[in-house]
Amino acid sequence: MKPISEALAAMLPTFTPCGRERVQLQRAHGRVLAQDALARQDQPPFTNSAMDGYAVRAADLAGASPASPKTLPLAGESRAGEAAPPALEAGQTLRIFTGAPLPEGADAVVMQEDTSREGDAVSFHLAPAPDAHVRKRGEDLRAGAPILGPGTILGPGEIGLLASQGHAALTVYRRPRVAILSTGDELRDISDPPRPGSIVNSNAYALAAQVEEAGGEPWILPIVPDVLEEVVAQVRAGLSADVLVTIGGVSVGDYDLVRKAFDAVGVEPQFWKVAMKPGKPLSFGVFGERLVVGLPGNPVSAMVTFEVFVRPGIRRMLGDPAPYRASAEVALAAAHTHKTGRTELARARLVRDERGQLIAHLHARQGSGNLTSVSGANALVILPPDEASFAEGERLRALLLGDPRGSALSPF
């Protein structure tokens, strides 16, 4: 039975970036850039005003103040979206608006709040410094400069930057396709009528949502009963995906047939069982370039093991250089006990106290079948395997489930 750290070390290197594809910019949010993106033009593309006001030569207003304003004649105006106006002569001013081109000769803008105007005469109540309220051509970017590199996750800011540089399409890493196979005689689909002894296959829906949240493309396979031939057939079908995730059937019961099905189709086993709670009966294997993960069947066990092992793998396949969840130190809101021997990942709700520290409120029910413990949870608190009790206020490490930031290092 492997510790979590050893299982991750054996498993994660096999998840390598998928191939590349071109996508339109409006479909690139959340994707990972696969090549350098260069600036195609200077940004700003021309020198312009950062304020509504008046373009001036700063030297013309030396010594101006509220008590001793200086007055200049108005020579015209510059509006956003129009060509640059004629050069500004010494001793003149030009009405200018935010984003409008600065005329040649001008080197400052005075906000209209610092002026007064009568007809075509403008009085200035301060002496501006050169370059005041001026955005110079290329001060943000120069044409040809790299702006984003491979491994960049494309959020709204990155999308806006690329749009400003005319990148209508991008090369990104392909999203991995993840097949989800649920096994068990007791399972029925959400649309099927209830029958004695049956339960809704909630796992498939939960894991499909986790796959999407991680950035992959979920493919839910039909439920298969505990019949080896049928399990083998669906495992073969699922191996056409980049990753096959099975749910249930990997323990030691008489009807746990998934590992037998793996053997039958030629999946090469890498390890079985991890020293964690929930989720001990985890199986991992490879089939050529395909990756196969057998998750336990209990709902919480399936979701937690997916979170720890499969999610960072999907992030690696997307080209994310920081595939792990961010973690943080938290303080327990109340004392807690657990059985030693395995690392436990306790579902918790984090809140900040008046001092800004994160307080972890562990869910009252931590059983592997208690779906209420994952609804609303925003953290998994890591309870070390060799400690049986934890005091109120004790500091522990926790995975931050709702944090969009990633980490290049495993928290285990």
Side-chain angles (χ1 to χ4, degrees), residues 5-202:
S5 58
E6 290 184 16
L8 280 170
M11 187 172 174
L12 264 292
T14 65
F15 288 81
T16 55
C18 295
R20 303 177 179 192
E21 63 180 0
R22 294 284 286 178
V23 298
Q24 294 300 304
L25 183 63
Q26 61 265 36
R27 298 179 61 85
H29 181 253
R31 304 295 291 273
V32 180
L33 197 62
Q35 67 178 42
D36 285 321
L38 304 180
R40 292 178 171 175
Q41 64 179 17
D42 290 344
Q43 183 71 19
F46 52 87
T47 300
N48 65 89
S49 175
M51 295 287 178
D52 291 339
Y54 294 89
V56 297
R57 292 171 177 258
D60 289 340
L61 296 179
S65 69
S68 181
K70 288 195 174 184
T71 302
L72 299 175
L74 190 66
E77 72 173 22
S78 180
R79 297 173 59 185
E82 295 184 349
L88 186 69
E89 301 293 337
Q92 294 182 327
T93 186
L94 188 88
R95 181 75 165 115
I96 197 167
F97 299 93
T98 302
L102 194 73
E104 185 179 345
D107 63 358
V109 172
V110 177
M111 292 191 299
Q112 64 187 38
E113 293 91 334
D114 295 318
T115 68
S116 56
R117 177 176 169 180
E118 291 186 13
D120 289 338
V122 183
S123 295
F124 296 87
H125 303 173
L126 57 75
D131 299 328
H133 305 308
V134 172
R135 296 186 290 218
K136 290 188 175 182
R137 175 175 178 168
E139 71 177 20
D140 197 13
L141 286 173
R142 285 291 186 182
I147 52 175
L148 298 173
T152 301
I153 300 172
L154 300 174
E158 290 75 20
I159 296 292
L161 176 60
L162 291 163
S164 75
Q165 291 296 313
H167 289 277
L170 307 167
T171 299
V172 298
Y173 290 106
R174 180 175 61 81
R175 296 174 65 195
R177 193 181 192 206
V178 181
I180 300 169
L181 175 60
S182 304
T183 68
D185 289 339
E186 73 280 13
L187 298 180
R188 60 180 170 86
D189 193 46
I190 196 169
S191 59
D192 293 339
R195 65 178 189 274
S198 70
I199 57 173
V200 172
N201 181 22
S202 62

Side-chain angles (χ1 to χ4, degrees), residues 389-402:
S389 60
F390 306 91
E392 178 183 344
E394 186 164 345
R395 296 188 172 277
L396 296 167
R397 207 75 192 160
L399 302 185
L400 306 180
L401 301 183

